[in-house]
Amino acid sequence: MPETDHRARHVAIIMDGNGRWAKKRHLPRVAGHRAGVEAVRKIVRAAGDLGLEALTLYAFSSENWKRPEEEVSDLMGLMKRFIVSDIDEFAANDVRLKIVGNWRALAPDVVALIEDALARTAGNKRTTLAVALNYGAQDEIVRAARAAAGEGAITAEAIEAHLDTADLPPLDLLIRTSGEVRLSNFLLWQAAYAELYFTDRLWPDFTPADLAAALDQFARRERRFGGL
Ligand code: FPP
């Protein structure tokens, strides 16, 4: 039976278009990323109110290291500041922070900040904010397959149990902003049955109302999970 009119539990977003947002304003790219962090704050606040159990954001891919050194360092700086300055608000709003990807390979100061933030929000229950850092889906699947093989059985269930997102609800909706229509190595396994939603809105312009509109459309779509 097709399921209709249900609410999304887990939404993921490819936050694209910061650079173009800055260019349109004749600003440096870092200004676009700063505006992107502001959009993140608003969306995280809205996620709990919209009833989401999990929100996964693609903040830094394993391919983003190819960007100019200055931009990589700007992005890492913004990430660190975000983790430090927003932790109290997470705690107050019952938001649990989670990091997906190879974050332990990041600089030691970033790893230390993350460990502290994870410990401080571990008991929070309302919403999980999963930030993808140094993340690539193919790498995640390889790691999960290796772990499953180590336990003796490479089955879909065993691989799934070792994905970075194993403790989150199934992915319902994957959003990409800025008009690009591709997955860019994000949550490839989890997207198997997710609904996909593409919008021309550049990430810094994406608002809680845009998220609500995407969720509204999701609730109306019929999901068949391969059935009729
Ligand atoms: C894509 O825009 C965006 C990124 C590569 C980084 C996303 C990061 C943030 C929104 C800020 C930090 C995040 C958190 C969770 C604090 P782009 O630079 O590829 O834009 P363009 O395609 O227009 O050049």
Side-chain angles (χ1 to χ4, degrees), residues 9 47-49 51-55 89-98 118-129 167-169:
R9 300 171 66 200
D49 298 335
L52 295 185
E53 290 168 46
L55 175 68
E89 185 173 335
F90 293 162
N93 292 318
D94 209 10
V95 174
R96 177 175 77 108
L97 182 71
K98 177 181 169 72
L118 294 178
R120 286 174 63 187
T121 62
N124 296 349
K125 299 257 180 304
R126 190 177 184 215
T127 313
T128 297
L129 168 64
D167 61 335
L168 301 180

Side-chain angles (χ1 to χ4, degrees), residues 61-122:
S61 77
S62 38
E63 286 75 37
N64 283 152
W65 296 108
K66 295 181 204 142
R67 294 193 177 205
E69 209 180 304
E70 190 188 342
E71 184 170 352
V72 169
S73 120
D74 285 341
L75 279 167
M76 283 299 155
L78 283 171
M79 222 77 72
K80 282 196 276 185
R81 253 170 281 151
F82 173 77
I83 291 169
V84 172
S85 64
D86 288 54
I87 188 87
D88 289 338
E89 185 173 335
F90 293 162
N93 292 318
D94 209 10
V95 174
R96 177 175 77 108
L97 182 71
K98 177 181 169 72
I99 309 288
V100 296
N102 255 328
W103 60 275
R104 288 190 182 278
L106 297 171
D109 61 328
V110 183
V111 171
L113 287 176
I114 290 174
E115 280 173 341
D116 179 57
L118 294 178
R120 286 174 63 187
T121 62

Side-chain angles (χ1 to χ4, degrees), residues 187-209:
L187 301 180
L188 297 183
W189 183 288
Q190 297 84 340
Y193 289 104
E195 293 288 323
L196 307 180
Y197 183 92
F198 299 97
T199 167
D200 287 340
R201 196 85 82 209
L202 302 176
W203 173 251
D205 293 328
F206 191 83
T207 64

Side-chain angles (χ1 to χ4, degrees), residues 121-222:
T121 62
N124 296 349
K125 299 257 180 304
R126 190 177 184 215
T127 313
T128 297
L129 168 64
V131 177
L133 276 183
N134 198 17
Y135 175 89
Q138 292 174 343
D139 169 68
E140 179 195 28
I141 294 166
V142 169
R143 286 189 281 110
R146 280 204 187 112
E151 290 171 0
I154 308 185
T155 61
E157 291 74 23
I159 290 174
E160 199 150 275
H162 288 287
L163 293 175
D164 295 352
T165 54
D167 61 335
L168 301 180
L171 181 65
D172 292 306
L173 176 65
L174 175 59
I175 298 173
R176 182 169 191 151
T177 59
S178 92
E180 308 290 349
V181 185
R182 55 179 177 270
L183 297 184
S184 300
N185 204 16
F186 189 47
L187 301 180
L188 297 183
W189 183 288
Q190 297 84 340
Y193 289 104
E195 293 288 323
L196 307 180
Y197 183 92
F198 299 97
T199 167
D200 287 340
R201 196 85 82 209
L202 302 176
W203 173 251
D205 293 328
F206 191 83
T207 64
D210 293 319
L211 176 59
L215 289 170
D216 219 44
Q217 193 181 109
F218 171 84
R220 277 175 239 255
R221 286 188 194 172
E222 252 187 25

